[in-house]
Amino acid sequence: MAEEELYDMLVPPGVPRKMIYDVAEKFDVEVVRRQQRLSFANMDGDARELIAFRGKREVVEEVQEYLFARLKEFVAE
């Protein structure tokens, strides 16, 4: 039986730690580190280690919706 493919959702820099912990507790995802090339502003081509949520596609999509909704609330405060 083949393993199910896992997907990563990069966590945008600046997301509060409390939200990252909250997602890790509420959803069946693993918090992983990933090297990612950045291509904006003065970081063009720089590789940085970012955090990502790794899990099944459906779960990662739920995490994305949840996290973006929480971030909108956070920014509105």
Side-chain angles (χ1 to χ4, degrees):
M1 184 176 228
E3 282 188 39
E4 186 167 5
E5 191 171 359
L6 298 177
Y7 294 82
D8 286 355
M9 183 197 118
L10 291 174
V11 178
V15 171
R17 278 183 252 163
K18 184 177 182 345
M19 287 185 198
I20 295 169
Y21 293 135
D22 190 35
V23 167
E25 289 177 6
K26 289 181 186 266
F27 296 91
D28 184 22
V29 291
E30 180 182 2
V31 178
V32 296
R33 295 179 180 178
R34 252 187 58 181
Q35 283 287 95
Q36 185 72 28
R37 284 212 176 281
L38 303 177
S39 58
F40 61 89
N42 63 346
M43 297 179 177
D44 195 24
D46 287 359
R48 299 287 170 101
E49 190 170 90
L50 299 177
I51 296 172
F53 296 117
R54 180 172 291 161
K56 295 178 183 178
R57 182 178 179 162
E58 304 81 33
V59 176
V60 171
E61 288 172 350
E62 288 178 36
V63 167
Q64 181 177 329
E65 277 186 45
Y66 177 79
L67 184 61
F68 286 178
R70 293 282 317 273
L71 286 170
K72 283 181 184 179
E73 291 171 10
F74 178 75
V75 170
E77 291 178 354

